Amino acid sequence: MASVQMATILNSLTMTRPLPPNSSDSARSPSLPPRNLSTKDFAVPRRKAMALIFSTPIFSAIAFPDTVFAQPSVGLREYIDSFDGYSFKYPLNWIQVRGAGADIFFRDPYVLDENISVELSSPSSSNYKSVEDLGPPEEAGKKVLKQYLTEFMSTRIGVRRESSVLATSSRVADDGRMYYQVEVNIKSYANNNELAVMPGDRVARLEWDRRYLSVLGVENNQLYELRLQTPENVFVEEEYDLRQVMDSFRVNKISA
């Protein structure tokens, strides 16, 4: 059944648009040869066609039940928060999710584990002068990883997390401010039968494998953090776009 539906999708992507019955071509004399129609305007690019196939429930649910597929690059849109003092770019097709706990939160509508958010420290309880107040980038990376692990702490029996700091760096952006960039990887494992008595009956399996990218900046005596979350297999395909998002993050002085 799935193969028949997939064949139907492929055929629909490559067929040309039929002429209307009342078009000028239908009124031509039978002795005249038919016009040579080009399919250029109606052809679907291969990359978009494959993305459409991979994103259909038929294909993803039957052929690859545990695999997440990246979507083609769609360009970036800028988000500016002049009230809190920051801006960044995010993919055009991502949607805003309200009530997620962050100051702002967007996610990919297809890859639900892929999202971007911004966190900022309370202005009444922080007095940051520079991102260097966190120490060198390596020290900041350890703090970022510790924060992630605290947030993902689970009370389920048999859950185990593996984590590592992949990269840390600092840069001075075109606004003259210094920013830290931190990349970490976290894997989550869970037992398939956590209540089993015998250890051999408790087999750990990989639940998820994610890349977390953070950009840290300081302004208005506050610490700002841009957070990107994406599955590792999606990161490999979307790395260029995601790094553009990271590089776009700016903190700005709030007008009194």
Side-chain angles (χ1 to χ4, degrees):
M1 180 66 179
S3 60
V4 174
Q5 292 174 314
M6 284 179 57
T8 303
I9 294 173
L10 287 173
N11 290 334
S12 66
L13 292 174
T14 56
M15 65 171 58
T16 58
R17 185 183 301 171
L19 290 173
N22 296 325
S23 67
S24 58
D25 280 332
S26 64
R28 288 191 175 199
S29 170
S31 60
L32 294 178
R35 183 169 57 183
N36 182 22
L37 293 178
S38 170
T39 60
K40 179 179 179 181
D41 293 338
F42 312 117
V44 178
R46 179 179 178 85
R47 186 182 183 192
K48 291 184 179 179
M50 296 307 293
L52 176 60
I53 295 169
F54 288 157
S55 63
T56 58
I58 297 171
F59 194 92
S60 58
I62 298 176
F64 296 92
D66 299 320
T67 304
V68 177
F69 293 97
Q71 300 298 307
S73 175
V74 294
L76 301 176
R77 172 185 289 136
E78 186 172 30
Y79 177 83
I80 301 175
D81 187 332
S82 55
F83 180 79
D84 289 312
Y86 64 87
S87 64
F88 62 92
K89 294 179 180 179
Y90 66 97
L92 279 169
N93 65 335
W94 286 22
I95 59 176
Q96 183 175 353
V97 178
R98 302 184 184 277
D103 194 67
I104 188 68
F105 188 98
F106 293 93
R107 69 169 176 83
D108 189 313
Y110 303 103
V111 184
L112 302 185
D113 277 350
E114 191 172 33
N115 56 63
I116 185 172
S117 62
V118 173
E119 305 275 356
L120 50 152
S121 62
S122 170
S124 60
S125 60
S126 61
N127 190 28
Y128 291 94
K129 301 301 181 184
S130 167
V131 71
E132 293 176 292
D133 290 349
L134 298 172
E138 296 78 11
E139 189 65 28
K142 295 176 182 178
K143 294 177 181 178
V144 168
L145 178 57
K146 182 179 179 180
Q147 181 63 33
Y148 276 125
L149 293 176
T150 300
E151 294 174 7
F152 297 146
M153 190 175 296
S154 175
T155 57
R156 289 183 298 152
I157 300 174
V159 172
R160 175 173 56 87
R161 301 277 159 76
E162 290 183 1
S163 61
S164 61
V165 178
L166 301 177
T168 59
S169 62
S170 63
R171 63 179 176 87
V172 177
D174 53 10
D175 60 359
R177 297 179 178 87
M178 178 175 288
Y179 295 86
Y180 283 177
Q181 294 187 345
V182 177
E183 298 181 37
V184 304
N185 170 265
I186 302 178
K187 297 179 178 66
S188 179
Y189 295 87
N191 292 331
N192 62 341
N193 187 5
E194 63 271 16
L195 299 180
V197 177
M198 300 302 294
D201 295 331
R202 298 191 297 268
V203 180
R205 61 178 179 84
L206 180 66
E207 286 188 305
W208 45 261
D209 181 8
R210 298 173 184 160
R211 177 78 60 107
Y212 294 91
L213 307 103
S214 292
V215 184
L216 305 166
V218 168
E219 187 54 86
N220 307 305
N221 297 328
Q222 293 176 269
L223 175 65
Y224 295 75
E225 181 181 5
L226 176 80
R227 292 180 160 197
L228 269 167
Q229 171 187 298
T230 183
E232 278 289 350
N233 65 316
V234 175
F235 175 77
V236 172
E237 299 183 31
E238 297 184 353
E239 181 176 359
Y240 177 77
D241 290 341
L242 296 178
R243 293 201 184 282
Q244 280 191 308
V245 172
M246 293 177 69
D247 292 341
S248 72
F249 185 56
R250 299 289 184 273
V251 294
N252 309 299
K253 192 74 175 176
I254 300 176
S255 301

